[in-house]
């Protein structure tokens, strides 16, 4: 798929309305995404699936499935290889795309699969995500290694310079392990392997870590929502946004029941953000959200994240990757309650937002963006919230329109995720945390 041409980057899929979704999928096909037989058995038991010969009817589910299936099959997942620090040697190589760009690799002398007893020798893996920091953190070396990796490092003009310095690190710790064998830790390494046989180090985890990946999250989310729709007659749900890669997934599911807020010309509906990040010891979670769309134009939407709390239900619920699979499934049973928890909040929306001056809110968003180095290169975003003679935000409807235009700007997904929360806190509470 063209949108995944840049490896290891989380992307948002194109608008669903343009993709001719059938809005249904057979349970048997959905469960085929689960490769781990122990997990599949637990899912079937937990949801009392005596048969998989039934259909799940959620808006855009079949289209979303295609993307999940694609990223899940793009690489071979190798998640249970162990090695010790002294068997790993770091080096820099030139990027295939740019000879002047240095990329960090780990050479593994020895790796061992504890489950099937297979050993691997002489594997070279490109270091991706935050795995270099995970490897060096306990030695307080992450900052230094990131300095060596930096593409804007003017002090190190060549890959050779970087390799001389990284070799010093390799040798110093080799001597340390010889002097003190107890400092030589054994670790669990997770790899991705592409169709060409290239290895990529994805993350370093612990013995307790469970592989609840992208497919697992998607499957149990859809089954939990299907269960909620059976429980609550008249509940209609649609997947309104999907962002993913081979390690991370964010799904926003919105209720088909909308309420028109006349003062701002927006349709509002309850939504829920479901996400999973399987890098390191991250968590699976779901969060309350609201979807606002002008005149039901779903392509110009914005999501807000109110901090709703009802009884013992928090606005965000999460579970760790070290949790037992049945405990994870129990947590996702709460999706049914969360999707309804915003209904009362929708009615209070006008009262909450009326307390703030729209142009002051615009200014706060602008200041937050300008003061963040993360958005330095996103020029369209800065210009969007800038006050000018032709742009004076004198009502909330105008400000929401600007925020909705910000939502469709092409930017790194992590930045978009951060921006969503900033805008939410400022619009709803007049401040950003």
């Amino acid at each position: 798929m063209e949108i995944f041409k840049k490896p290891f980057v989380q992307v948002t899929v194109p608008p669903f309305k343009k993709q001719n979704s059938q809005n249904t999928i057979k349970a048997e096909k959905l469960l085929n995404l689960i490769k781990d037989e122990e997990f599949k058995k637990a899912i079937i038991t937990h949801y009392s699936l005596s048969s998989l010969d039934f259909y799940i009817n959620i808006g855009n589910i079949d289209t979303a499935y295609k993307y999940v299936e694609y990223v899940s099959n793009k690489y071979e997942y190798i998640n249970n290889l162990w090695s010790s620090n002294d068997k790993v040697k770091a080096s820099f190589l030139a990027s295939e795309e740019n000879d002047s760009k240095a990329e960090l690799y780990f050479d593994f002398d020895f790796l061992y699969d504890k489950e099937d007893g297979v050993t691997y020798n002489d594997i070279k893996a490109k270091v991706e995500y935050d795995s270099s920091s995970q490897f060096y953190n306990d030695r307080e070396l992450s900052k230094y290694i990131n300095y060596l990796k930096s593409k804007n490092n003017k002090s190190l003009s060549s890959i050779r310079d970087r390799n001389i310095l990284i070799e010093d690190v390799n040798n110093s710790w080799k001597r340390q392990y010889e002097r003190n064998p107890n400092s030589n830790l054994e670790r669990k390494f997770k790899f991705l392997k592409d169709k060409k046989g290239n290895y990529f180090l994805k993350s370093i985890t612990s013995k307790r870590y469970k592989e609840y990946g992208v497919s697992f999250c998607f499957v149990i989310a859809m089954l939990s929502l299907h269960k909620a729709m059976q429980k609550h007659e008249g509940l209609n749900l649609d997947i309104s946004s999907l962002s993913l890669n081979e390690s991370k997934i964010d799904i926003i599911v919105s209720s088909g029941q909308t309420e028109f807020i006349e003062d701002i010309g927006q349709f509002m509906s309850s939504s829920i953000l479901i996400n999973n990040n399987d890098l390191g010891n991250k968590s699976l979670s779901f969060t309350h959200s609201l979807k606002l769309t002008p005149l039901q134009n779903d392509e110009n939407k914005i999501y807000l994240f109110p901090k709703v709390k009802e009884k013992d239900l928090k606005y965000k619920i999460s579970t760790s990757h070290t949790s037992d699979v049945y405990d994870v499934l129990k947590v996702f049973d709460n999706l049914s309650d969360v999707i309804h928890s915003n209904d009362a909040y929708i009615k209070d929306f006008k009262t909450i937002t009326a307390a703030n001056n729209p142009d002051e809110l615009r200014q706060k968003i602008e200041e937050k963006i300008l003061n963040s180095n993360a958005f330095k290169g996103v020029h369209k975003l800065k210009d969007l919230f800038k006050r000018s003679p032709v742009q004076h935000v004198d009502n909330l409807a105008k400000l929401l329109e600007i925020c909705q235009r910000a939502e469709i700007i092409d930017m790194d997904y992590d930045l978009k995720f951060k921006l969503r929360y900033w805008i939410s806190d400022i619009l709803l509470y007049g401040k950003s945390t």
Side-chain angles (χ1 to χ4, degrees):
M1 290 185 181
E2 184 68 17
I3 63 169
F4 297 110
K5 61 183 178 181
K6 193 173 181 180
F8 312 117
V9 174
Q10 185 174 0
V11 297
T12 301
V13 307
F16 286 110
K17 281 193 173 181
K18 297 180 180 179
Q19 299 193 55
N20 195 29
S21 180
Q22 300 302 305
N23 306 318
T24 187
I25 195 169
K26 196 170 185 178
E28 182 180 21
K29 184 176 182 179
L30 180 68
L31 266 291
N32 284 340
L33 289 172
I34 305 298
K35 307 303 180 187
D36 187 299
E37 289 302 321
E38 180 184 346
F39 287 170
K40 184 179 285 189
K41 182 179 179 181
I43 290 170
I44 290 172
T45 300
H46 180 79
Y47 292 102
S48 303
L49 304 179
S50 56
S51 168
L52 298 179
D53 187 21
F54 65 93
Y55 286 86
I56 298 172
N57 301 311
I58 296 173
N60 305 312
I61 187 172
D62 53 320
T63 304
Y65 171 91
K66 292 175 185 177
Y67 289 104
V68 175
E69 182 185 40
Y70 177 83
V71 299
S72 299
N73 293 330
K74 191 176 180 183
Y75 298 94
E76 178 185 352
Y77 291 72
I78 305 171
N79 295 320
N80 193 40
L81 297 186
W82 292 78
S83 190
S84 53
N85 285 348
D86 65 337
K87 302 298 182 185
V88 185
K89 181 180 177 181
S91 63
F92 286 98
L93 291 176
S95 167
E96 292 182 4
E97 295 81 21
N98 185 349
D99 290 343
S100 62
K101 182 182 177 183
E103 293 180 329
L104 185 63
Y105 282 77
F106 282 170
D107 291 283
F108 293 84
D109 292 339
F110 176 82
L111 287 156
Y112 178 65
D113 190 323
K114 290 189 175 183
E115 291 184 0
D116 60 21
V118 176
T119 60
Y120 299 79
N121 301 101
D122 301 321
I123 286 182
K124 179 184 287 290
K126 185 180 173 185
V127 178
E128 295 290 350
Y129 298 114
D130 197 36
S131 52
S132 65
S133 294
Q134 292 169 354
F135 185 73
Y136 288 109
N137 261 347
D138 64 321
R139 287 164 279 181
E140 302 294 334
L141 283 169
S142 294
K143 190 173 181 180
Y144 179 62
I145 299 301
N146 287 334
Y147 164 76
L148 297 183
K149 288 166 58 181
S150 174
K151 63 180 179 180
N152 298 320
N153 193 328
K154 296 179 181 179
S155 302
L156 301 173
S157 58
S158 70
I159 292 175
R160 179 177 178 274
D161 291 340
R162 299 169 198 257
N163 274 324
I164 289 172
L165 293 174
I166 199 74
E167 186 64 19
D168 288 341
V169 175
N170 292 331
N171 291 334
S172 65
W173 280 94
K174 181 179 180 182
R175 292 191 293 271
Q176 165 64 13
Y177 299 140
E178 290 170 351
R179 289 190 301 267
N180 182 5
N182 290 332
S183 64
N184 187 21
L185 301 176
E186 187 181 45
R187 310 231 185 150
K188 183 180 179 182
F189 295 86
K190 297 172 61 179
F191 297 91
L192 297 169
K193 184 179 179 183
D194 68 14
K195 308 299 183 185
K196 297 178 181 178
N198 298 313
Y199 285 84
F200 304 89
L201 179 61
K202 182 180 176 184
S203 65
I204 304 169
T205 59
S206 65
K207 184 178 180 180
R208 295 176 56 217
Y209 185 91
K210 306 286 195 309
E211 300 301 330
Y212 304 133
V214 168
S215 293
F216 178 88
C217 179
F218 181 72
V219 170
I220 65 170
M222 295 304 105
L223 287 172
S224 297
L225 293 171
H226 173 71
K227 186 176 179 181
M229 291 170 70
Q230 288 183 311
K231 179 180 178 182
H232 302 283
E233 187 177 350
L235 176 61
N236 294 310
L237 301 172
D238 295 282
I239 300 172
S240 56
S241 177
L242 175 67
S243 304
L244 74 169
N245 66 3
E246 68 294 323
S247 301
K248 297 183 283 185
I249 185 168
D250 290 73
I251 314 161
I252 298 183
V253 177
S254 302
S255 168
Q257 296 173 305
T258 62
E259 182 168 334
F260 184 66
I261 312 295
E262 189 171 351
D263 289 0
I264 57 175
Q266 299 275 332
F267 286 89
M268 184 179 290
S269 61
S270 294
S271 296
I272 183 168
L273 168 65
I274 306 162
N275 58 14
N276 180 32
N277 183 339
D278 70 355
L279 301 171
N281 292 317
K282 305 294 184 179
S283 63
L284 297 92
S285 65
F286 45 92
T287 310
H288 301 260
S289 64
L290 296 169
K291 185 177 80 168
L292 280 78
T293 55
L295 301 176
Q296 292 187 320
N297 180 356
D298 199 53
E299 290 185 33
N300 292 339
K301 55 186 175 289
I302 186 175
Y303 297 100
L304 302 180
F305 298 88
K307 295 178 174 62
V308 178
K309 293 185 180 181
E310 294 183 356
K311 298 179 181 178
D312 296 326
L313 183 65
K314 299 179 181 179
Y315 71 97
K316 180 174 181 178
I317 301 175
S318 63
T319 180
S320 169
H321 277 261
T322 59
S323 300
D324 179 78
V325 61
Y326 285 101
D327 291 333
V328 173
L329 295 171
K330 287 177 184 176
V331 167
F332 268 68
D333 285 341
N334 291 309
L335 278 174
S336 174
D337 297 323
V338 173
I339 197 70
H340 284 294
S341 63
N342 278 318
D343 289 347
Y345 191 90
I346 290 175
K347 295 177 179 148
D348 297 331
F349 179 77
K350 286 193 294 184
T351 304
I352 293 170
T353 55
N356 296 294
N357 181 290
D359 198 58
E360 288 180 4
L361 298 179
R362 175 208 56 79
Q363 185 178 355
K364 288 180 180 181
I365 297 172
E366 180 190 15
E367 288 174 354
K368 192 73 178 174
I369 294 168
L370 291 175
N371 292 332
S372 172
N373 288 329
F375 291 94
K376 193 174 182 180
V378 191
H379 301 294
K380 287 184 179 180
L381 187 63
K382 295 178 182 178
D383 294 339
L384 194 59
F385 287 95
K386 187 184 298 182
R387 187 174 185 181
S388 68
V390 296
Q391 176 170 279
H392 175 60
V393 178
D394 56 3
N395 61 67
L396 185 58
K398 285 184 181 179
L399 181 56
L400 287 171
E401 181 185 344
I402 294 172
C403 294
Q404 284 159 339
R405 282 155 57 194
E407 175 73 21
I408 60 176
I409 291 176
D410 184 23
M411 69 180 84
D412 180 84
Y413 181 76
D414 288 339
L415 291 183
K416 181 172 286 190
F417 191 80
K418 181 182 291 188
L419 180 65
R420 281 175 175 174
Y421 274 93
W422 283 357
I423 288 175
S424 286
D425 278 348
I426 292 171
L427 289 183
L428 298 176
Y429 309 109
K431 61 182 180 179
S432 178
T433 54

